[in-house]
Amino acid sequence: MRKLCVAMVGLPARGKSTLARRLREGLAVEGIKAEIFNNGNIRRSLLGAESTEADFYNPDNAFGREAREMICRRNIALAREWLKDGGDVAIMDATNASPARRAMLENAFSDLPLLFVECVNEDKLLLDACIRRKADLPEYASFDREAALENFLTRIAYYESIYRPLDREKFWLRVDSTANSILGEKPCEGSPYYPAIREIVVNFWVENLFVVRHGETEFNVQGRIGGDPMLTSRGREQARALAGRLSGESIDWVFTSTRLRSHETAAPLLAEKPSAHTMAFKEFDELWAGECEGMLYSEIREKMPEVTAGRNADKYGYAYPGGESYAMLRERVQRGLRRALFLAGGAPLVIVGHQAINRVLLTLFLNCRKADVPYIYIPQNQYYHISLTSRRKLFERIPFHG
Ligand code: F6P
């Protein structure tokens, strides 16, 4: 079968390496041998600290320019050798930001189809978070945090000065790496691998996602909705039990809502996993009950019978006066999930959400009639574990507290 070279394109922190890994793994499932050739890895092993300085990326710095070109050539040679030895798809993972660099790749692989895959990320929140994370990498160990950040931002600015989006290249695919969607393409017709690559790009991949509801609160005990209550002692016990149950899992990220009960539930888990990152998303805040926030269900029945009747007639579509419906949640929960998955970059993650939020979250993975969504079982002592890759389709509910 004909070989293919895929060259990633995009500014730093746009999700290139994550997508490269997904491509390698997704193609492997189809029996296609793919390998990643990452310029950054060679650079770090050959040049170390010297290449961390932002000036190394200054297009006017001849030393840096030549060193980066040499690294690219070395990787091309490695990729060619690997293809000759039986590999099918070589994935060149680098910024490949300038048309000149891409022309160099086209020359080097003139005997093969060469598909450029450009990663775009225009979500400012995600970009900031990714950039902050990069400043925590071992490469910046000798910098203080602010200096590392500034250094990395300068590096990005240098890349921006030479970056041109794909256009004239023969075959390309432009991907919104935060939404798993294709923004444009010049299909690589003739390559038998192209349909599989497209499929991998648009598929939602979740290696290990744990969807947890916050522990019990006083409001839960009373049957009161919304608000920002704290956990009861039983709720805190549930949170500790959750941390215990997940202690054997390698958790990289814990996402919460901005509510106290969600933070309190995540706290023992974060103490158990000190290296895990955490972030609070408003997208995961509980369904806003508007005028009914803080009321008892029984009070709503008595004082606002039209609300109860409206919910009984169409719980999915009914919006609380001045508040939200389940239907309205879908978009924001989806945005939160995409952000979380992007930041986790394939690593295991936990989302500590709420009853309505988790119902909607689960239905982003499972097909379900809209009318059934508001009735999905979301206990406070069990979590859902989801793993959807091309090798495994798993959806399980795990108890963690009596
Ligand atoms: O009762 C807890 C709670 O999280 C409320 O804050 C929220 O309004 C409710 O669950 C959502 O569930 P339902 O739509 O079944 O009332």
Side-chain angles (χ1 to χ4, degrees):
M1 193 159 350
R2 268 194 92 189
K3 319 241 169 202
L4 174 72
C5 178
V6 170
M8 308 306 292
V9 172
L11 294 167
R14 264 60 179 186
K16 298 184 297 296
S17 296
T18 305
L19 181 55
R21 281 196 298 276
R22 267 173 53 199
L23 287 173
R24 179 182 58 195
E25 280 144 39
L27 290 169
V29 173
E30 306 288 320
I32 302 165
K33 273 182 254 147
E35 194 48 272
I36 298 172
F37 298 87
N38 180 295
N39 288 8
N41 290 344
I42 297 192
R43 170 180 63 73
R44 280 181 287 273
S45 70
L46 283 184
L47 299 168
E50 204 174 354
S51 67
T52 302
E53 289 301 333
D55 195 54
F56 181 77
Y57 302 88
N58 181 343
D60 296 332
N61 173 349
F63 168 73
R65 217 176 43 233
E66 280 157 26
R68 281 181 288 122
E69 192 168 317
M70 177 273 286
I71 288 165
C72 180
R73 289 198 186 285
R74 182 176 281 217
N75 241 343
I76 290 171
L78 288 173
R80 292 203 64 98
E81 208 170 304
W82 178 83
L83 286 168
K84 203 170 91 209
D85 287 349
D88 299 316
V89 180
I91 305 171
M92 312 308 290
D93 184 12
T95 55
N96 299 320
S98 70
R101 165 62 69 82
R102 299 196 293 255
M104 173 181 155
L105 286 163
E106 278 176 328
N107 272 333
F109 291 104
S110 58
D111 52 335
L112 296 180
L114 170 59
L115 170 68
F116 289 102
V117 176
E118 180 173 11
C119 290
V120 177
N121 166 12
E122 285 176 350
D123 184 327
K124 182 135 177 25
L125 181 139
L126 286 185
L127 207 51
D128 286 352
C130 284
I131 290 170
R132 275 172 201 287
R133 264 203 84 182
K134 294 263 184 188
D136 289 335
L137 290 177
E139 183 170 0
Y140 283 110
S142 64
F143 289 64
D144 75 47
R145 201 140 194 288
E146 281 316 300
L149 256 181
E150 199 184 306
N151 188 298
F152 192 63
L153 287 171
T154 312
R155 185 195 298 192
I156 294 180
Y158 283 136
Y159 273 118
E160 271 166 344
S161 72
I162 56 163
Y163 169 65
R164 300 289 174 276
L166 292 167
D167 177 23
R168 289 166 185 246
E169 290 74 8
K170 193 166 174 201
F171 305 124
W172 55 258
L173 198 54
R174 181 175 299 115
V175 178
D176 178 341
S177 43
T178 68
N180 295 4
S181 61
I182 293 177
L183 300 170
E185 64 185 315
K186 267 198 205 167
C188 189
E189 277 138 13
S191 169
Y193 307 126
Y194 191 70
I197 288 176
R198 250 186 136 268
E199 188 76 14
I200 294 164
V201 164
V202 296
N203 268 346
F204 235 135
W205 268 43
V206 189
E207 205 62 65
N208 272 305
L209 166 64
F210 302 91
V211 179
V212 187
R213 182 177 171 198
H214 63 80
E216 182 193 82
T217 68
E218 207 50 59
F219 274 26
N220 295 143
V221 176
Q222 297 166 355
R224 200 177 285 284
I225 66 170
D228 197 11
M230 295 182 57
L231 300 187
T232 58
S233 61
R234 183 152 179 255
R236 286 195 296 277
E237 214 180 89
Q238 288 165 336
R240 284 192 296 273
L242 172 73
R245 186 69 177 76
L246 290 177
S247 62
E249 303 284 344
S250 64
I251 306 283
D252 272 34
W253 274 91
V254 178
F255 295 95
T256 64
S257 75
T258 67
R259 299 302 179 183
L260 273 175
R261 52 198 187 278
S262 168
H263 288 287
E264 275 194 284
T265 305
L269 179 59
L270 286 166
E272 171 79 35
K273 311 270 177 202
S275 61
H277 306 271
T278 183
M279 220 165 155
F281 283 174
K282 276 184 86 59
E283 281 86 349
F284 296 145
D285 283 356
E286 182 55 312
L287 176 104
W288 181 247
E291 290 171 28
C292 298
E293 275 288 305
M295 287 175 78
L296 294 167
Y297 282 111
S298 56
E299 248 179 293
I300 300 174
R301 261 195 311 276
E302 271 167 40
K303 298 186 185 154
M304 301 171 85
E306 68 288 359
V307 172
T308 309
R311 295 198 96 210
N312 286 344
D314 175 14
K315 194 174 173 190
Y316 184 80
Y318 182 82
Y320 280 103
E324 290 177 306
S325 65
Y326 275 84
M328 288 156 78
L329 286 184
R330 195 176 163 88
E331 202 188 309
R332 74 167 161 100
V333 172
Q334 191 163 39
R335 186 170 59 240
L337 176 66
R338 279 181 180 155
R339 286 179 159 169
L341 292 179
F342 180 84
L343 285 173
L349 68 153
V350 173
I351 297 177
V352 184
H354 300 257
Q355 176 152 257
I357 292 298
N358 290 7
R359 284 173 173 156
V360 173
L361 196 54
L362 296 180
T363 58
L364 296 173
F365 296 97
L366 279 183
N367 276 333
C368 170
R369 286 188 330 148
K370 285 179 179 167
D372 293 336
V373 176
Y375 300 98
I376 295 173
Y377 181 47
I378 310 286
Q380 284 168 312
N381 59 352
Q382 302 180 27
Y383 61 74
Y384 284 90
H385 173 211
I386 301 171
S387 178
L388 297 174
T389 67
S390 33
R391 280 180 204 282
R392 179 160 89 147
K393 311 282 171 206
L394 177 83
F395 206 102
E396 56 182 350
R397 183 156 45 77
I398 310 279
F400 59 83
H401 184 253

